[in-house]
Amino acid sequence: MLDHTQSVSPAPTLTVGRQLDTLIIGGGAAGITVAAMLRSKVKGSIAIVDPADTHAYQPGWTLVGAGVFSLEQTVKPEASLIPNGVEWIKKAASAFHPEQNIVELADGTTLGYRYLIVCPGLQLDWGKIEGLKETIGKNGVCSNYRGDLAAYTWECIQSFQGGKMIFTQPPMPIKCPGAPQKIAYLAADHLRRTGKRGAADIAFCTALPSLFGVAPFVPSLKAAMKRHNIEVNLRTTLKSIDGPAKKATFIVTNADDSTTEVVRDFDMIHVTPPQSAPDFLKGSPISNAAGFVDVDQHTMQHVKYRNIFSLGDAASSPNSKTVAALRMQAPVVVKNLVAAMNSNTGTASYDGYGSCPLTTDYGKIVLAEFTYGGKVTPSFPLDPRVPRYSSWLLKTKFLPFLYWSVMLKGIDLDIGHKEKQFADAA
Ligand SMILES: Cc1cc2nc3c(=O)[nH]c(=O)nc-3n(C[C@H](O)[C@H](O)[C@H](O)COP(=O)(O)OP(=O)(O)OC[C@H]3O[C@@H](n4cnc5c(N)ncnc54)[C@H](O)[C@@H]3O)c2cc1C
């Protein structure tokens, strides 16, 4: 309620520094893809705002952590990926003024736009786990969620001489929700292959109530955990970590929803940090209550501001936050944006597709593909719940090529996925 004795100050009028036809916030997987697709379809200026020097193929970091890829294989200079005809503004965005079609930048300057695409990804909240910032990257505390730390994961796995290994998964949202368990399987398999498995106790501790969000894949993953002799602890959330003392404290939610604090010793711990919408999006006029850009989950168009679109990890659409998802979202955004530019209502629709190649062993992958509503939608005519070498080849050879040479070049290659029912699904 307003107190009528108080005066309401009008929104500050900002001076627009420069005017762009299409402005893209974030030049990660989503930003580069959508810029490259758009460039060939529309006239007018397009600019990407991103302060980063480098661009990473983050799905490769699981393989960096397992010694299959080098870190260098997953990183390129951002400048080398900006599509021809697209301007790169090497700055950070800091605030949105959608009523005035203005984005504020961290250096205090502003940019005006006719159309805006917002895709700055997810923020890693290392500080939400007490003690983590102080010890990450040393004392056997590693994480595949940052490239340099993924290289340290491999160092830890290789030098492991026995004792306790823990792999953690925080509450949602996180990008690639399968990644925290992928590295657990690969670590166990590496120890088996090098004759050290007997000397290791391995535990997977996840805040979630199940191993995976799409039920038909759960039995295959339970079987993989059993085969690798990994102890699974559900509803178990990492609270704090003491690196030098090698102790991790977890909050365990019991069956009656009461909680118990449990301290576990470790010799190596792989931590997946809590994640959230970037701080500059939280509380902004274009975001929902959780801080994600408030879009229609099918059209990827903003629910209120029709000249704003979003895709990738920063969008509010309830899909699994993956490159696989934004690869399907990008053509939808482009079609609906072009329709909006022509004063039409876009009808292109994203079905919630996401994919997670779960590395159950070196050389074996359960290729989970699914859409909204937990429907299993494989691209290939094989049972996707079975770990396969062909899916390993897909992940290690084809998908990196698809990313760098097809998707980031703006080529829309959709092999097509189709719903498949499983009578024996859990
Ligand atoms: C370990 C790991 C394993 C994964 N495995 C897979 C997998 O197997 N399959 C899969 O499909 N996906 C996987 N993913 C997820 C995938 O990498 C992400 O979903 C994808 O990168 C999201 O793309 P994005 O463009 O939304 O965000 P990002 O690629 O993270 O890019 C965000 C960009 O925004 C920029 N930015 C941030 N803040 C600002 C700002 N204020 N102003 C301007 N720019 C800003 C950043 O510099 C960055 O360039 C994995 C991720 C990780 C970490």
Side-chain angles (χ1 to χ4, degrees):
M1 260 306 245
L2 275 176
D3 172 356
H4 290 280
T5 59
Q6 290 173 343
S7 62
V8 181
S9 49
T13 311
L14 292 159
T15 317
V16 189
R18 280 187 58 207
Q19 185 70 35
L20 280 309
D21 290 307
T22 306
L23 186 59
I24 300 171
I25 306 301
I32 298 287
T33 303
V34 85
M37 282 187 174
L38 210 51
R39 183 62 292 172
S40 61
K41 300 213 163 41
V42 297
K43 293 196 171 71
S45 54
I46 303 176
I48 294 176
V49 174
D50 195 315
D53 292 316
T54 53
H55 176 117
Y57 175 57
Q58 297 170 39
W61 288 348
T62 296
L63 298 172
V64 173
V68 180
F69 282 1
S70 68
L71 179 57
E72 292 67 38
Q73 274 175 280
T74 65
V75 181
K76 291 196 179 179
E78 178 76 3
S80 68
L81 301 169
I82 304 289
N84 284 337
V86 173
E87 183 186 352
W88 177 25
I89 299 171
K90 195 174 180 302
K91 294 181 179 184
S94 61
F96 297 91
H97 301 277
E99 301 289 352
Q100 299 167 71
N101 294 333
I102 290 176
V103 170
E104 237 177 294
L105 305 181
D107 67 357
T109 57
T110 55
L111 295 169
Y113 59 84
R114 288 178 64 218
Y115 296 93
L116 179 68
I117 303 175
V118 186
C119 43
L122 268 178
Q123 172 175 291
L124 304 177
D125 296 321
W126 302 99
K128 282 194 182 156
I129 294 173
E130 211 183 300
L132 181 58
K133 267 187 175 171
E134 293 75 21
T135 192
I136 190 79
K138 51 184 192 248
N139 298 316
V141 184
C142 55
S143 178
N144 287 348
Y145 276 74
R146 222 177 66 197
D148 57 322
L149 297 173
Y152 181 59
T153 302
W154 178 230
E155 243 181 88
C156 291
I157 292 174
Q158 270 185 306
S159 60
F160 190 80
Q161 292 304 327
K164 295 182 192 304
M165 262 187 181
I166 305 177
F167 296 82
T168 74
Q169 175 154 4
M172 297 293 272
I174 64 165
K175 43 185 152 185
C176 193
Q181 65 187 277
K182 293 180 196 177
I183 189 64
Y185 301 127
L186 293 175
D189 197 22
H190 174 79
L191 295 182
R192 181 184 64 78
R193 286 160 187 260
T194 51
K196 290 192 262 180
R197 182 62 189 92
D201 284 332
I202 306 183
F204 179 65
C205 298
T206 172
L208 306 182
S210 166
L211 273 180
F212 201 66
V214 184
F217 294 103
V218 172
S220 312
L221 301 176
K222 276 187 180 164
M225 288 287 180
K226 198 169 170 198
R227 186 157 45 78
H228 287 297
N229 192 21
I230 300 173
E231 174 198 320
V232 176
N233 300 285
L234 303 176
R235 309 217 299 169
T236 300
T237 309
L238 181 63
K239 179 190 167 213
S240 64
I241 187 157
D242 181 339
K246 303 221 161 189
K247 288 190 187 302
T249 304
F250 291 86
I251 303 292
V252 180
T253 305
N254 304 309
D256 62 359
D257 282 342
S258 63
T259 56
T260 312
E261 209 166 277
V262 174
V263 179
R264 286 174 168 263
D265 297 327
F266 65 83
D267 294 281
M268 175 196 138
I269 185 167
H270 178 275
V271 179
T272 299
Q275 295 162 42
S276 63
D279 281 345
F280 77 109
L281 269 179
K282 289 184 191 119
S284 96
I286 65 166
S287 304
N288 68 8
F292 294 98
V293 186
D294 205 358
V295 291
D296 176 279
Q297 67 177 43
H298 295 294
T299 64
M300 308 309 288
Q301 187 169 24
H302 198 274
V303 294
K304 181 171 173 198
Y305 302 104
R306 312 305 287 168
N307 62 339
I308 299 181
F309 292 78
S310 179
L311 73 164
D313 293 354
S316 65
S317 46
N319 53 273
S320 180
K321 293 187 184 297
T322 54
V323 165
L326 67 90
R327 194 163 68 77
M328 297 298 166
Q329 293 167 350
V332 170
V333 167
V334 169
K335 281 180 194 142
N336 291 339
L337 180 58
V338 170
M341 287 172 167
N342 293 318
S343 308
N344 293 325
T345 303
T347 52
S349 182
Y350 166 62
D351 63 2
Y353 177 84
S355 166
C356 191
L358 291 136
T359 50
T360 55
D361 304 85
Y362 281 89
K364 288 259 166 73
I365 278 180
V366 167
L367 184 59
E369 293 176 277
F370 40 85
T371 55
Y372 287 141
K375 291 178 192 153
V376 178
T377 53
S379 303
F380 306 99
L382 298 167
D383 186 338
R385 300 168 304 170
V386 176
R388 290 180 196 281
Y389 179 60
S390 54
S391 302
W392 175 265
L393 288 179
L394 186 90
K395 165 100 184 150
T396 54
K397 308 277 184 222
F398 179 69
L399 293 181
F401 165 78
L402 180 68
Y403 185 84
W404 297 115
S405 305
V406 178
M407 193 183 101
L408 295 191
K409 302 291 179 208
I411 301 165
D412 179 10
L413 178 71
D414 180 5
I415 349 178
H417 49 273
K418 210 166 153 203
E419 185 177 356
K420 195 168 175 151
Q421 309 265 2
F422 295 99
D424 56 338

